[in-house]
């Protein structure tokens, strides 16, 4: 169903011999959904698969965060404060510092008109998967996948990612060790 006319009209020949649709205006934005011309594009399969993957990530992370908050509501209702402090808090921080950041990067990537040119250097849109892998294995280094702070070559992005990674790493032992140790110590007191 088309809400309004497409932002593309006519075709032009590319150097590769393929034809591409021409944008009617650089300011034209389809108001909701996907521009109908995408259904006629030669790369529609990769475009729609990428879009569906990103939407699935957003929906899945939102669902998991909701589940963690419901668990928090249960811990408060049943007065299980040990579970609140050593399960809910570390779980929500870990989730938001890792997968929540991935959702934020998806939205940032969608809002930027690519490629970005700063000081004669062109920045191409980074792969979200590569960015997430570099977050963990590259210890937050964003020099290969700059998504924001183009003027400084992604130095601010690197600092943000390193901080998020540090917070996420700290949460793992907080989820694993304090609760069993405290339960054991409390059981010794009540013997």
């Amino acid at each position: 169903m088309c809400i309004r006319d497409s932002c593309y009209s006519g075709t032009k020949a590319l150097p590769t011999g393929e034809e591409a649709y021409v944008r009617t205006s650089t300011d034209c934005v389809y108001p909701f959904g996907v521009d109908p011309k995408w259904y006629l594009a030669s790369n529609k399969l990769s475009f729609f698969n990428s879009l569906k993957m990103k939407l699935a990530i957003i929906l899945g992370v939102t669902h998991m965060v909701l589940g963690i908050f419901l668990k928090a509501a249960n811990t408060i209702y049943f007065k299980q404060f040990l579970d609140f402090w050593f399960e809910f808090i570390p779980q929500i921080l870990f989730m938001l510092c890792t997968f929540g950041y991935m959702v934020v990067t998806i939205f940032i990537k969608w809002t930027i008109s690519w490629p970005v040119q700063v000081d004669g250097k062109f920045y191409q849109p980074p792969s979200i998967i590569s960015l997430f892998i570099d977050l963990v294995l590259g210890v937050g280094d964003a020099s290969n996948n700059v998504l924001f702070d183009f003027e400084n070559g992604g130095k601010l992005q690197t600092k943000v990612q390193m901080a998020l990674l540090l917070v996420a790493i700290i949460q793992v032992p907080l989820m694993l060790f304090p609760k069993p140790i405290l339960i054991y110590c409390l059981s010794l007191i009540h013997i």
Side-chain angles (χ1 to χ4, degrees), residues 3-190:
I3 296 174
R4 67 175 198 133
D5 291 336
S6 174
C7 290
Y8 297 89
S9 66
T11 59
K12 69 175 181 178
L14 296 175
T16 60
E18 296 178 354
E19 289 191 352
Y21 290 99
V22 180
R23 285 184 68 93
T24 55
S25 168
T26 56
D27 298 334
C28 183
V29 177
Y30 202 72
F32 184 76
V34 178
D35 193 305
K37 287 291 184 187
W38 274 106
Y39 293 99
L40 305 173
S42 61
N43 62 339
K44 72 178 180 183
L45 184 63
S46 62
F47 172 77
F48 283 114
N49 282 344
S50 174
L51 179 65
K52 288 188 290 186
M53 179 186 71
K54 289 177 177 83
L55 291 174
I57 290 170
I58 292 167
L59 198 63
V61 170
T62 304
H63 186 255
M64 288 185 281
V65 167
L66 177 65
I68 294 171
F69 275 108
L70 288 175
K71 180 179 184 169
N74 280 338
T75 62
I76 292 169
Y77 180 78
F78 291 111
K79 295 178 176 51
Q80 298 170 330
F81 299 110
L82 196 61
D83 291 350
F84 181 84
W85 290 108
F86 296 111
E87 285 185 22
F88 165 69
I89 298 294
Q91 285 175 357
I92 196 67
L93 286 174
F94 183 84
M95 176 63 92
L96 293 178
C97 286
T98 54
F99 297 102
Y101 178 66
M102 182 189 284
V103 169
V104 169
T105 60
I106 289 170
F107 283 112
I108 290 173
K109 187 175 175 181
W110 280 346
T111 59
I112 295 175
S113 178
W114 298 96
V116 175
Q117 181 182 6
V118 176
D119 297 331
K121 184 175 180 181
F122 284 93
Y123 291 94
Q124 296 297 328
S127 164
I128 299 294
I129 295 170
S130 297
L131 193 141
F132 196 66
I133 290 170
D134 284 347
L135 170 71
V136 178
L137 298 180
V139 194
D141 182 32
S143 58
N144 296 330
N145 292 303
V146 180
L147 188 64
F148 57 90
D149 189 34
F150 300 104
E151 294 80 16
N152 297 318
K155 290 180 182 173
L156 176 64
Q157 181 181 342
T158 298
K159 289 179 184 177
V160 167
Q161 290 181 179
M162 289 176 73
L164 291 172
L165 184 63
L166 181 65
V167 170
I169 289 172
I170 290 170
Q171 301 318 305
V172 174
L174 284 176
M175 283 186 274
L176 295 175
F177 301 120
K179 185 180 172 188
I181 292 170
L182 289 171
I183 289 173
Y184 177 73
C185 292
L186 290 172
S187 70
L188 292 178
I189 293 171
H190 294 297

